[in-house]
Amino acid sequence: MEETEMQLKVKKVTDKFTESMYILANEPSVALYRLQEHVRRSLPELAQHKADMQSWEEQSQGAIYTVEYACSAIKNMMDSSVYFESIDRLLKDAIAVKDQLNSAQSRSTAALQAPNLPASS
């Protein structure tokens, strides 16, 4: 009987000790200490991540600006295709007029040189 009684007392003591340790481990001041330790360990890494993210954001903003500028330039080039088509048409007209002038000049030169040639009969 005494052994059973002793086991019962030991069980009560260990239960009370476990309960006390649980209360002590979960006491608000201990929780705040654990939170403080976590923040102290994590904060430098988080600050570095924040700095990296800000740097990436700046680089991304620069790339976005470049792409928008390139898109605007391409749109302006597409809008100017009307002008290029007009220039192309005017150049073709100018070449045609120049060809006409050249052929008229060669005919007039040939006509002027024809009477000067001796007639062979």
Side-chain angles (χ1 to χ4, degrees):
M1 252 280 175
E2 208 167 291
E3 190 175 319
T4 310
E5 191 175 306
M6 183 63 126
Q7 284 180 351
L8 196 65
K9 285 184 181 182
V10 167
K11 181 161 177 28
K12 279 184 179 180
V13 168
T14 55
D15 286 345
K16 287 288 186 182
F17 182 73
T18 303
E19 184 181 343
S20 296
M21 290 303 292
Y22 180 79
I23 290 171
L24 185 63
N26 291 310
E27 183 181 339
S29 62
V30 174
L32 292 175
Y33 172 76
R34 289 180 180 167
L35 184 62
Q36 176 191 8
E37 286 296 307
H38 173 71
V39 169
R40 185 183 59 78
R41 278 184 265 130
S42 301
L43 191 62
E45 185 179 344
L46 289 174
Q48 182 61 44
H49 283 298
K50 180 182 177 184
D52 292 344
M53 292 300 287
Q54 286 174 335
S55 171
W56 292 339
E57 180 186 16
E58 290 171 7
Q59 291 174 357
S60 298
Q61 290 297 328
I64 289 169
Y65 174 77
T66 301
V67 168
E68 287 176 348
Y69 184 74
C71 288
S72 172
I74 289 171
K75 183 184 179 302
N76 289 337
M77 288 173 66
M78 291 175 72
D79 291 344
S80 66
S81 67
V82 173
Y83 301 110
F84 286 120
E85 289 169 2
S86 176
I87 290 169
D88 184 47
R89 184 177 38 80
L90 290 171
L91 284 172
K92 286 178 181 176
D93 290 348
I95 290 170
V97 169
K98 177 65 175 161
D99 288 343
Q100 288 175 355
L101 287 174
N102 285 342
S103 72
Q105 186 179 16
S106 65
R107 274 183 282 169
S108 68
T109 304
L112 288 175
Q113 290 177 353
N116 294 341
L117 291 175
S120 55
S121 16

